[in-house]
Amino acid sequence: MGVGCSWWTQILARELFEIASDFCAVRRLKARNNRGQLNAPSMSNELPRTFKIITVWLLLGVVVFLGLQWWMRQQQQTRFQLQGSGVGAGSHAVVEITRGPDGHYHWPGSINGRELEFLVDTGATGTAISAQLARELNLPSLGQVQSNTAGGVVSGRVVSVNLALQGGVTAQQLRVVALEGLNDRRTEQPLLGMDVLGKLRWQQRDGVLRIELGGPQQ
């Protein structure tokens, strides 16, 4: 990231220098024209300068985009902290997750190898994923179900997944509900419910969710 930003910064500085030089040249030409020595600059002389301005704005957009991506990665790493190692009886590993800007806790993990972030939902009985994600992973239906959500009663289907969370928490062949209602979420994040959290020791205080990874694993 540092090398990339340095390279873009050098290009941006060079373009800005060229634009400043062109601007000074145009001012000199206009001054001479006022004295009757030269005609005004032609439109063809103005076009390259316009293209340079467009290029600089594009480069600025790229720099801002790369900076935003770096900032988001740093924020994600800051929100999730793993202390110690090991999972199960006798383990002293602890996960600490800081509440995100959206007011929720996000736990990085994967479903059947697909990396994603889980939205920790301590009020949910079971874990739920979007129906779109279930279709993308080709998860066979194990039955139909109706669930109560904030938006009302929605229909879904039961599927089986292999779930993994950063820190070593896993749940093999875990039955979760695939809901169409979750497709409306911008990130379509799975909801991590008490069917997983209930097997762990956790507490939340001052915007930090602390999970002790000493519980039994499925």
Side-chain angles (χ1 to χ4, degrees), residues 4-157:
C5 286
S6 176
W7 182 66
W8 282 110
T9 303
Q10 293 178 7
I11 295 177
L12 180 61
R14 185 172 65 246
E15 292 293 339
L16 289 173
F17 176 78
E18 292 181 2
I19 289 177
S21 300
D22 290 345
F23 178 76
C24 293
V26 171
R27 291 291 299 272
R28 287 195 296 269
L29 286 174
K30 288 183 177 180
R32 293 177 184 176
N33 180 59
N34 292 335
R35 294 196 299 268
Q37 297 179 1
L38 291 174
N39 294 326
S42 64
M43 184 176 294
S44 61
N45 290 331
E46 294 290 340
L47 286 177
R49 181 171 176 269
T50 301
F51 290 141
K52 290 179 182 295
I53 293 176
I54 294 175
T55 301
V56 168
W57 279 109
L58 289 175
L59 291 174
L60 282 172
V62 171
V63 170
V64 171
F65 173 77
L66 293 176
L68 182 61
Q69 292 295 313
W70 176 83
W71 179 81
M72 291 177 64
R73 284 195 295 268
Q74 289 296 110
Q75 289 296 309
Q76 178 179 341
Q77 293 175 0
T78 302
R79 290 199 306 263
F80 181 89
Q81 298 290 334
L82 175 62
Q83 304 173 5
S85 61
V87 177
S91 169
H92 299 288
V94 174
V95 165
E96 289 189 349
I97 305 174
T98 303
R99 184 184 289 119
D102 58 357
H104 298 286
Y105 298 106
H106 300 265
W107 196 337
S110 66
I111 289 180
N112 287 20
R114 171 79 66 87
E115 293 186 356
L116 37 74
E117 275 194 350
F118 290 85
L119 190 67
V120 177
D121 189 351
T122 57
T125 303
T127 298
I129 66 174
S130 69
Q132 178 62 33
L133 178 61
R135 286 190 289 267
E136 292 176 1
L137 297 178
N138 296 318
L139 300 177
S141 176
L142 302 179
Q144 299 295 319
V145 68
Q146 287 189 332
S147 298
N148 293 317
T149 67
V153 179
V154 296
S155 298
R157 57 194 183 96

Side-chain angles (χ1 to χ4, degrees), residues 152-164:
V153 179
V154 296
S155 298
R157 57 194 183 96
V158 180
V159 296
S160 178
V161 302
N162 293 328
L163 180 149

